[in-house]
Amino acid sequence: MINNIFKVVQKTANSNYKGFFIVIFSTCLVGILLSELLALPWGNLVAASCRWDCFWYSDIAKNGYSRIPLLYDPLRPAQGAWAFFPLYPLLTSTLSRILALNTESAGFLVNILLWPFVIFLCYRDLELRNIPVDRLLFVIFFLVYPFNIWYTAQYSEAIYGTLLMAAIVALRSKRIGLAALLCALLSTARPTGFIMTICLSTWWLFSTPQDTKNFMRNAIYHRMSDSLLLVAAGGAGLSLFVLYLFYLTGDGFAFAHVEIAWNKKFHFFISNIFHAFKHKHERVFGIYALLSAIVIGKMCSRTWALNAFLVGATALLASSAGLQSIERYVFGNPLTMQFLACITLSHSRRFIWIALASMALMHIVTTILWYKESILVI
């Protein structure tokens, strides 16, 4: 019976994009329902998923950015929200007003609507590279992946992942104008957005099409102009936030300065790893960092060069400022999920199902740890 249902769903997913979308949304809905069951001890899924930085995003969506730090806040005294970029809170606030929802529910809704598109765009990128993968198993992998919690929690991962993968797909499809627009939005979504734009422009400049002779003769100028357009678009998006902060606080780079105030100062990432292993409460971040290095090392091949470049740049930036949340920056990155999905699904069917079952158990544990605000998942 289960096998017959699986075959029917698999046939639907493989039929066309419409069927594939139906399978993705249906599978994500099942995941949400299971998460709702796990969240019952904490009231409901919206309340349980709003942890850690959810406070900042919700506060920005409700009240905007403050001119001065929160001087009298009992939990975050003398801290400011400027480190959190505006695109996700803006979408949350807009949806909250349109649907008359509280900000936590609106932020949750934004992410559960975007999460299926992240999955589709990751698959579409593989399709454009002619990397075959079973559609249904690919979706199931993303569903049970242990570090996907931030795509349903009230964080900016979903909008960031959507824009990043959409920009990559646009570039592979040679839709430069669309890619530039996406890079501009990406730079307003996360602090690393502009850095990813520079990385994408560099990759596009040096990536060689199949017709190398034609590339050398006609396309060098166009590649340079396209790359500069991507950087300019990303810079324009970042500049909007910088100008707004300058108008609001008199410090256009308050988003960087508040990170320094939170002790996220630049150090050589190796020294941060050694520091983590010297302190018991930070040891888990050192382990995450080493696992990240192993995964990025495995990506270093011609097939996965772009994944290695972008995830590696993200990991380098994150680990140089401190190892806290390194698992989110690396293992929560859609490019890492895409790579791990392909590696897992390239094995025998028996191995695949054992791996998916193991991941499902780990996903349950990770979800509960998130609801409990454990430092193991932050």
Side-chain angles (χ1 to χ4, degrees), residues 82 129 140 149 296 364:
W82 309 304
R129 290 194 280 158
I140 293 174
I149 183 65
I296 295 168
I364 292 172

Side-chain angles (χ1 to χ4, degrees), residues 65-133:
Y65 292 93
S66 61
R67 291 181 177 273
I68 59 174
L70 305 179
L71 299 177
Y72 304 106
D73 188 277
L75 296 177
R76 297 165 176 83
Q79 297 184 35
W82 309 304
F84 300 92
F85 276 44
L87 186 57
Y88 174 62
L90 179 62
L91 288 175
T92 298
S93 178
T94 302
L95 195 62
S96 175
R97 289 192 176 106
I98 292 174
L99 299 181
L101 297 171
N102 62 52
T103 52
E104 290 78 13
S105 297
F108 178 77
L109 184 58
V110 168
N111 284 354
I112 63 171
L113 291 176
L114 288 174
W115 174 229
F117 289 97
V118 175
I119 300 173
F120 174 78
L121 288 167
C122 286
Y123 173 81
R124 178 59 181 154
D125 178 50
L126 295 176
E127 192 175 50
L128 289 170
R129 290 194 280 158
N130 296 315
I131 299 177
V133 64

Side-chain angles (χ1 to χ4, degrees), residues 133-149:
V133 64
D134 184 280
R135 287 183 174 183
L136 179 56
L137 291 176
F138 187 77
V139 175
I140 293 174
F141 181 94
F142 273 73
L143 173 67
V144 300
Y145 184 71
F147 293 99
N148 66 10
I149 183 65

Side-chain angles (χ1 to χ4, degrees), residues 224-242:
M224 291 183 65
S225 61
D226 292 343
S227 296
L228 289 173
L229 176 62
L230 295 177
V231 174
L238 178 62
S239 296
L240 289 176
F241 189 43
V242 169

Side-chain angles (χ1 to χ4, degrees), residues 26-281:
S26 300
T27 306
C28 289
L29 180 60
V30 172
I32 293 299
L33 293 175
L34 293 175
S35 297
E36 179 66 48
L37 292 175
L38 292 174
L40 287 177
W42 291 271
N44 58 67
L45 182 54
V46 172
S49 60
C50 187
R51 294 290 183 262
W52 300 109
D53 289 342
C54 172
F55 165 84
W56 291 112
Y57 288 118
S58 297
D59 185 61
I60 297 168
K62 288 177 187 175
N63 308 310
Y65 292 93
S66 61
R67 291 181 177 273
I68 59 174
L70 305 179
L71 299 177
Y72 304 106
D73 188 277
L75 296 177
R76 297 165 176 83
Q79 297 184 35
W82 309 304
F84 300 92
F85 276 44
L87 186 57
Y88 174 62
L90 179 62
L91 288 175
T92 298
S93 178
T94 302
L95 195 62
S96 175
R97 289 192 176 106
I98 292 174
L99 299 181
L101 297 171
N102 62 52
T103 52
E104 290 78 13
S105 297
F108 178 77
L109 184 58
V110 168
N111 284 354
I112 63 171
L113 291 176
L114 288 174
W115 174 229
F117 289 97
V118 175
I119 300 173
F120 174 78
L121 288 167
C122 286
Y123 173 81
R124 178 59 181 154
D125 178 50
L126 295 176
E127 192 175 50
L128 289 170
R129 290 194 280 158
N130 296 315
I131 299 177
V133 64
D134 184 280
R135 287 183 174 183
L136 179 56
L137 291 176
F138 187 77
V139 175
I140 293 174
F141 181 94
F142 273 73
L143 173 67
V144 300
Y145 184 71
F147 293 99
N148 66 10
I149 183 65
W150 298 284
Y151 289 86
T152 50
Q154 293 89 332
Y155 267 49
S156 61
E157 254 68 21
I159 184 63
Y160 179 78
T162 300
L163 291 170
L164 178 61
M165 294 311 303
I168 292 171
V169 169
L171 285 174
R172 292 196 192 280
S173 304
K174 299 181 180 179
R175 301 178 66 181
I176 307 302
L178 176 60
L181 174 60
L182 292 166
C183 285
L185 293 172
L186 187 66
S187 296
T188 65
R190 292 282 291 277
T192 53
F194 181 62
I195 303 300
M196 290 301 100
T197 294
I198 294 176
C199 292
L200 283 173
S201 67
T202 303
W203 166 74
W204 182 249
L205 177 63
F206 292 103
S207 61
T208 307
Q210 294 180 353
D211 187 356
T212 308
K213 183 178 180 180
N214 185 60
F215 171 73
M216 295 302 294
R217 185 179 301 169
N218 301 318
I220 294 178
Y221 172 78
H222 293 291
R223 287 273 169 151
M224 291 183 65
S225 61
D226 292 343
S227 296
L228 289 173
L229 176 62
L230 295 177
V231 174
L238 178 62
S239 296
L240 289 176
F241 189 43
V242 169
L243 290 172
Y244 173 74
L245 288 178
F246 181 78
Y247 163 77
L248 185 71
T249 68
D251 180 5
F253 291 94
F255 64 87
H257 298 150
V258 75
E259 293 274 7
I260 295 173
W262 288 342
N263 204 33
K264 290 189 175 183
K265 300 175 182 178
F266 184 85
H267 297 94
F268 186 49
F269 71 97
I270 297 294
S271 66
N272 283 334
I273 293 175
F274 279 118
H275 175 82
F277 279 105
K278 287 180 181 178
H279 296 79
K280 185 177 180 180
H281 65 285

